[in-house]
Amino acid sequence: MLELRKIVKAYGGRRVLDEVGFDVRPGRLTGFVGGNGAGKTTTMRIALGVLAKDSGDVLLDGVAVTADDRRRFGYMPEERGLYPKMKVGEHIAYLARLHGYGKRDATTAATALLERLGLGERLGDKVETLSLGNQQRAQIAAALVHEPEVLLLDEPFSGLDPLAVDVVAGVLQERAARGVAVLFSSHQLDLVERLCDDLVIIAAGTIRAAGSRDELRAQHAVRRFELVSSGDAAWVEGEPGVQLRGHRGGWAVFDADTDQTAQRVLRRAMERGDVASFAPQHPSLAQIFKEVVQ
């Protein structure tokens, strides 16, 4: 498990990271979200040792991370860093050899990974001839080819079309299923919510929320319910302890002050006619994000 504990980083007396701390657990996808300048990239670079921290600890399985440990990390920066004149297959194989692979094993690993990422037909093409989306896939391959135990990916889905997003997401899920600890940042909150087991929200250099997806939903949940019934549901607005959030025909969304109030509304709806559905609504990641960063 990768652990960050009270990481502080300042520039010119201004703290850009203020005691940042969270865990990236093996076998789980952790989404790292925040606005531009929130501190996501700085945090990742400190975890990698690319950037020095002012104080705090970066631990791997409870022990301070060493340079040798970081050879077991995979990193994809937001900016592309591949050699444009190299052929795609040769480039990824070269990176595998830098991590100790023999020539044949490096070529085998690079070819299999690039094929899995949908670049099997582009192995002999120069990096500079690839579309931006395919360059992004190649950059992801560069981070994965040496089978890292910890993956740190900065905006890995940027510039990808929906089909490519599904391919890359599938690859990351496969790695997590093998026990890899995966942390990735993204501005695509709906995608993070769909993929991630754990979430970390950062704003102005401080962690505003961290935990599993279900834990954060429970922490930020309100008693909000959706009712779909026959007839007009406008009557819900007049119920004591209820705040109507939306209404159209037999559909209504409302907040209830207690669970008992919600059950009373359900009973009244059933007395009035058929109820097609009645269920609590869980807050989306976008709603939680807005709540904690304000």
Side-chain angles (χ1 to χ4, degrees):
M1 179 168 70
L2 179 66
E3 306 165 58
L4 283 76
R5 296 288 178 264
K6 295 186 176 181
I7 302 296
V8 172
K9 180 66 178 177
Y11 292 107
R14 182 179 70 87
R15 283 193 176 191
V16 295
L17 296 181
D18 189 1
E19 298 196 348
V20 164
F22 59 88
D23 298 333
V24 185
R25 292 184 280 175
R28 298 175 72 84
L29 289 170
T30 300
F32 194 23
V33 299
N36 292 329
K40 302 186 298 299
T41 297
T42 300
T43 300
M44 287 186 171
R45 287 176 175 170
I46 287 174
L48 286 158
V50 175
L51 190 63
K53 55 185 169 48
D54 295 333
S55 62
D57 297 293
V58 180
L59 310 173
L60 186 64
D61 298 329
V63 180
V65 172
T66 66
D68 284 342
D69 291 330
R70 288 188 170 103
R71 289 181 60 83
R72 295 145 55 194
F73 287 15
Y75 176 54
M76 196 204 86
E78 185 175 8
E79 62 279 0
R80 295 181 176 90
L82 301 179
Y83 297 122
K85 299 296 183 182
M86 285 190 74
K87 294 179 180 179
V88 177
E90 291 177 357
H91 197 330
I92 303 306
Y94 166 72
L95 294 173
R97 295 191 69 183
L98 290 179
H99 283 275
Y101 281 60
K103 184 175 181 180
R104 179 178 297 178
D105 289 343
T107 299
T108 299
T111 300
L113 179 56
L114 288 166
E115 287 177 347
R116 176 66 183 88
L117 286 165
L119 292 176
E121 296 181 355
R122 310 302 298 273
L123 298 178
D125 295 349
K126 292 182 179 180
V127 170
E128 65 184 359
T129 68
L130 300 180
S131 67
L132 292 180
N134 282 339
Q135 287 185 31
Q136 185 80 339
R137 296 196 215 195
Q139 191 81 54
I140 292 166
L144 295 173
V145 70
H146 60 291
E147 297 288 339
E149 297 175 20
V150 177
L151 263 177
L152 305 174
L153 308 173
D154 202 350
E155 296 288 345
F157 299 100
S158 177
L160 298 182
D161 62 43
L163 291 177
V165 166
D166 288 342
V167 169
V168 171
V171 170
L172 297 184
Q173 289 170 325
E174 290 166 7
R175 295 301 170 114
R178 296 182 203 169
V180 176
V182 182
L183 176 73
F184 76 87
S185 69
S186 179
H187 287 95
Q188 298 166 263
L189 297 182
D190 56 339
L191 179 62
V192 173
E193 184 169 25
R194 175 164 63 89
L195 291 181
C196 286
D197 305 294
D198 300 316
L199 301 167
V200 178
I201 300 175
I202 187 171
T206 63
I207 300 301
R208 302 297 178 88
S212 74
R213 180 174 51 193
D214 292 340
E215 287 171 348
L216 292 184
R217 281 175 171 171
Q219 290 171 13
H220 296 273
V222 296
R223 291 187 182 88
R224 183 162 296 169
F225 299 85
E226 181 183 53
L227 169 68
V228 181
S229 63
S230 60
D232 193 332
W235 59 270
V236 173
E237 187 170 19
E239 289 294 310
V242 166
Q243 184 174 4
L244 189 64
R245 294 293 184 179
H247 157 250
R248 185 174 62 253
W251 171 84
V253 172
F254 66 92
D255 294 345
D257 58 358
T258 66
D259 291 336
Q260 290 76 17
T261 296
Q263 291 303 311
R264 187 187 72 240
V265 171
L266 174 58
R267 288 194 300 271
R268 299 243 173 121
M270 294 174 68
E271 291 169 358
R272 288 172 171 268
D274 294 333
V275 174
S277 66
F278 183 83
Q281 286 199 325
H282 300 291
S284 67
L285 175 56
Q287 291 169 325
I288 294 172
F289 180 82
K290 290 177 182 177
E291 180 180 335
V292 301
V293 302
Q294 288 178 347

